[in-house]
Amino acid sequence: MTIAITYRWHLRQLMAARGMFATTDLVPLLAERGVSLSREQVYRLVVGTPERLNLATLAALCDILGATPADLIEVLVEPRRLKKVATAPAAPSEGRRPRRARIVTDD
């Protein structure tokens, strides 16, 4: 059995808890902390789940929201079963012939 590590991004929920409902509210706050992102980049950061995130951006978001990285990112560990791999059929043993299918006709 293997495990799959996934995560949930809670930026939008943390913003709402602090009364920030417009994604554009973050642009000037990030700029004050030296992180320059366009409105579109901030929008994608808020409404989507980022695959990559600059640590300076993460630190600025934590400072703005008074949160920790653990508040923003919820790590999920899910067990996964290994898929069975098809193996080649065993070679017929000496002296034995493989069974043949019978063809039945409707007469």
Side-chain angles (χ1 to χ4, degrees):
M1 189 174 281
T2 63
I3 58 171
I5 308 271
T6 59
Y7 61 95
R8 287 192 189 133
W9 181 240
H10 296 292
L11 178 58
R12 188 173 205 138
Q13 293 87 345
L14 289 174
M15 286 177 60
R18 283 152 184 82
M20 297 173 69
F21 298 101
T23 59
T24 54
D25 293 344
L26 277 180
V27 176
L29 297 173
L30 287 167
E32 288 174 5
R33 289 159 179 84
V35 177
S36 60
L37 297 175
S38 68
R39 288 179 308 128
E40 293 80 13
Q41 289 171 317
V42 172
Y43 176 80
R44 286 193 303 267
L45 188 64
V46 173
V47 300
T49 301
E51 290 294 320
R52 285 171 271 157
L53 185 62
N54 185 309
L55 287 178
T57 305
L58 179 63
L61 289 171
C62 289
D63 184 51
I64 291 167
L65 299 169
T68 66
D71 296 329
L72 281 168
I73 304 165
E74 177 187 358
V75 177
L76 304 170
V77 179
E78 301 172 352
R80 297 244 170 120
R81 292 182 183 226
L82 291 176
K83 292 182 179 178
K84 292 185 178 182
V85 178
T87 58
S93 59
E94 293 283 326
R96 291 187 70 200
R97 297 179 65 191
R99 294 176 113 191
R100 298 189 184 234
R102 288 188 194 174
I103 299 175
V104 179
T105 59
D106 294 330
D107 289 339

